[in-house]
Amino acid sequence: MIVVCGIASEPPIARVTGALQDLGLPYTVLHQRRFQDIALDFEIDGTGVHGRLLDDRRAIDCATVTGVYTRLMDWRMLPETTGAPEETVRRCAWWHEVLGSWIEVAPGCVMNRSAATASNQSKPYQAQLISRAGFLVPETLVTDDPDLVRAFRDQHGQVVYKSISAVRSIVRLLDDATMERLPLIRSCPVQFQRRIQGVNVRVHAVAGELFATRIRADQVDYRYAAGFGGELEMAPWDLPDELAQRCLDLADGLGLALAGIDLMLTEEGETYCFEVNPSPAFTFFESHTGQPIARAIAGALGR
C-alpha cells in the first residue's frame, strides 16, 4: 500500500496518483482538508511502528505501507481552519502532528521525511551543504543593511535577490528601480547573490534515477518567463557521468529520495548549484519535456 499525503487536486499529487493507477499499484490519499473524517491510530514501541489509518471506512494497516509521497501544505492556511471553532483548529493541528510523526518513522520509501527537508528551510545553510558536496555556489550576502547591499553590488556588478526561507519567491535582478526600494529590507533580511549566467539545468533525482532538463530563457527566473513576456525553451538532457554522480551524491547526502536540483552551466565550464528543492513541482518540467517523472516516483514508492 502506498500513502499519498496532501490535496488530491494539486497537480503533482494528481500526476502521481494517476501514475499509481497506470501501474496498478494500491494507494490511498490522505486528503489533508478532510482531517475531520480520516482517523489516524499509531503506536511506536520497541518492535516498530504499529497502527492503522481509516480512510473512506477502509482500515489500512501501516505495516503494509511500502511508500509515502507527501506534499502537505501549511495546515494553518487551509480554508477549513479559517474562522473555524477552536476545537476544529486543535483537531487539525493534532491530525497533522500525528501524521507528520508517522511519516518520520514510516518504513519503505518516503518522499520526503521532514528531517531531510529541513535544510531547505534556510537557503544559506543549504548552500553550505551544497558547497561541501563539490558544487560551486554564487557569492552570497544575507542582510537587512542597505549599505552592505550597495557595496556588494559595486563589487560584483549584476546581482539577483531572493527569499532566504523555504517559501517560493521570484528571483529578480537588483536593478536601479529596485535599488530605490532597498530601505525596505530593514524589516526583512533578504538573500543577494552575484548573478551567474549560462544554461539552467533542473535535475530531478528520484530514488537513484535522474531526469535532467536543459533550459534556455531570456529572464532571470525561467519559471516565470512567460509572465514577464519572455521566451522559454526546455528539453531533456543527458547528464555527463561525473555530474550525474555528483547529483546523486548530493540528494543522498541530504537524505532526499526525491529532489529538484537547480544547476547553472557557465560558458567557462563551471557548474553552480543554486538550491535543492525537497518538494519539487515536477509537473512543470514533465509537461514541457514528456519525461516520466511521476511514473518514476510511483514506481519507487511501489518498490
Side-chain angles (χ1 to χ4, degrees), residues 137-159:
V137 176
E139 291 84 345
T140 302
L141 171 69
V142 178
T143 185
D144 60 359
D145 187 335
D147 291 336
L148 292 180
V149 178
R150 295 185 183 97
F152 188 77
R153 190 188 188 214
D154 289 343
Q155 178 183 0
H156 296 293
Q158 289 196 329
V159 171

Side-chain angles (χ1 to χ4, degrees), residues 1 6 14 54-55 61 73 75 89 105 109-110 117 129 156 172 190 196 207-208 210 213 220 245 285 292 300:
M1 178 61 68
L54 188 64
D55 187 24
D61 186 345
M73 68 173 289
W75 64 265
V89 175
V105 296
C109 179
V110 178
T117 68
L129 302 180
H156 296 293
R172 301 296 301 271
V190 176
I196 308 298
L210 298 178
T213 302
V220 173
Q245 189 59 53
F285 303 89

Side-chain angles (χ1 to χ4, degrees), residues 80-240:
E80 288 73 13
T81 63
T82 302
E86 184 177 346
E87 181 180 350
T88 300
V89 175
R90 282 201 305 267
R91 175 173 174 78
C92 185
W94 168 85
W95 190 88
H96 283 85
E97 181 179 351
V98 171
L99 178 60
S101 298
W102 174 70
I103 290 172
E104 287 302 284
V105 296
C109 179
V110 178
M111 299 181 175
N112 283 299
R113 304 184 198 274
S114 294
T117 68
S119 69
N120 195 243
Q121 300 298 314
S122 170
K123 299 291 194 299
Y125 171 66
Q126 190 188 71
Q128 296 179 59
L129 302 180
I130 291 171
S131 179
R132 292 174 192 170
F135 288 93
L136 294 173
V137 176
E139 291 84 345
T140 302
L141 171 69
V142 178
T143 185
D144 60 359
D145 187 335
D147 291 336
L148 292 180
V149 178
R150 295 185 183 97
F152 188 77
R153 190 188 188 214
D154 289 343
Q155 178 183 0
H156 296 293
Q158 289 196 329
V159 171
V160 298
Y161 63 96
K162 63 183 77 170
S163 163
I164 61 174
S165 74
V167 178
R168 175 185 283 197
S169 63
I170 302 176
V171 183
R172 301 296 301 271
L173 184 67
L174 187 65
D175 55 19
D176 292 339
T178 308
M179 290 293 289
E180 295 179 2
R181 306 196 309 272
L182 202 56
L184 295 174
I185 70 169
R186 294 194 181 279
S187 60
C188 180
V190 176
Q191 179 174 221
F192 301 88
Q193 289 184 324
R194 176 172 70 90
R195 184 184 184 187
I196 308 298
Q197 299 193 63
V199 177
N200 284 283
V201 174
R202 161 58 79 93
V203 180
H204 288 96
V206 184
E209 190 173 1
L210 298 178
F211 300 89
T213 302
R214 192 177 177 95
I215 305 151
R216 293 189 180 276
D218 57 2
Q219 301 291 317
V220 173
D221 194 329
Y222 64 82
R223 299 170 302 172
Y224 300 93
F228 290 104
E231 297 181 355
L232 175 67
E233 296 179 6
M234 302 173 65
W237 187 57
D238 291 328
L239 286 167

